[in-house]
Amino acid sequence: MEFGLNEIHTAEIVNFLRFSRYQRAHRLKGIECAFQDLIESRLAEDNTFTDAEIRDMLEGLQSVVSSDMESELIHSAHTNTLLLRQLFQQGEKWHLTLQADISELENRELLDGIKEFEENQLTMQGAGKFMSPPPAPKPKLAPLNEPGVSMILEKQLKDVKSENENLRSKIKSLESRFNSMAKESSSLRRELEQTADELKLVIEEKIVSQQESIQVVEKPAQPVKTDAAVVDNTELSESKHEILKLRAELEKVKNEMEKKLQDTSQFQNLKKMLGTKNEQLR
């Protein structure tokens, strides 16, 4: 059976099979010892046993063998779990997620192939006894030039480059939006200033017109102190109040236009982006 693995991994499988065969032979020897103890302790002499005595001996033997088998099966499951843990830990070091197909463990064809592979690799000559093998030498560290490792590193590098490109694209997009909003805000401010100037000019013209009317009323009122002078003084006072009212309206319009500019979404976004830029510069 060909595993489709490289030389190092195949050697690890052979070493694990050798370890399993040694453990299996050792456990079978323990079962043989249980039978031997029964023979030596109860069947050494040529005695005749009743059915109850035979049943008692077999039940005792069954208890011992069952206990040994359960202990060995649990030990085998635990050692296999430790082996899987080692493999998963090595995979996680390289940011790999390994999976095991449990259904393949009952694949008869694969199991027969493993049996054949084990017999070809580990069957020893002679009486078929097995000894504990010496520990396999650990391979020295080699440069990271295997295809699998290179592919992982290359993929991670590509991911980092892709993330950097996405960040650069976002930064350019934000800068473009910032410049566009700055231009729009500047345009709105110019329009506001132009409107304010026009409104100011109109109000100033009204003020000049009112002042000229006041002067016209005041000149003929000086030489004559009559009831007409009282009327002129009243008109003069009303004109002054009108001038003050116009100035107040001018100031109110300016404040309202400033508030409208600040309430626009473009101004708020620009203000927020400027705050973010200042925080980054700090």
Side-chain angles (χ1 to χ4, degrees), residues 112-128:
D112 291 340
I114 295 294
K115 179 180 179 181
E116 181 183 356
F117 177 82
E118 179 182 5
E119 291 175 352
N120 293 335
Q121 294 289 332
L122 303 180
T123 300
M124 300 179 65
Q125 297 179 356

Side-chain angles (χ1 to χ4, degrees), residues 11 15 40 42 45 79 82 85 95 132 145 153 162 166 189 197 211 229 236 240 248 262 267 270:
N15 190 42
E40 293 177 355
R42 303 292 299 273
E45 299 178 359
T79 55
L82 288 177
R85 178 175 176 269
H95 306 284
S132 177
N145 55 2
L153 296 177
S162 177
N166 292 334
R189 185 174 294 278
D197 292 339
Q211 289 177 345
L236 176 60
K240 290 181 177 179
Q262 294 179 2
F267 184 86
L270 178 61

Side-chain angles (χ1 to χ4, degrees), residues 82-115:
L82 288 177
L83 181 63
L84 287 174
R85 178 175 176 269
Q86 291 181 16
L87 296 177
F88 290 150
Q89 285 179 337
Q90 292 180 18
E92 289 178 0
K93 287 182 180 180
W94 291 100
H95 306 284
L96 298 176
T97 301
L98 305 181
Q99 294 180 345
D101 188 356
I102 304 299
S103 63
E104 290 294 323
L105 298 180
E106 298 296 332
N107 189 318
R108 176 52 56 185
E109 182 179 356
L110 294 178
L111 290 174
D112 291 340
I114 295 294
K115 179 180 179 181

Side-chain angles (χ1 to χ4, degrees), residues 195-237:
T195 303
D197 292 339
E198 292 176 355
L199 182 59
K200 182 179 178 181
L201 181 61
V202 171
I203 294 175
E204 287 178 350
E205 289 177 355
K206 288 185 178 181
I207 293 174
V208 172
S209 177
Q210 292 291 336
Q211 289 177 345
E212 290 177 353
S213 299
I214 292 171
Q215 291 175 0
V216 171
V217 173
E218 288 178 345
K219 287 181 180 179
Q222 291 178 358
V224 182
K225 301 292 184 177
T226 62
D227 293 338
V230 177
V231 175
D232 292 339
N233 287 334
T234 302
E235 293 180 355
L236 176 60
S237 178

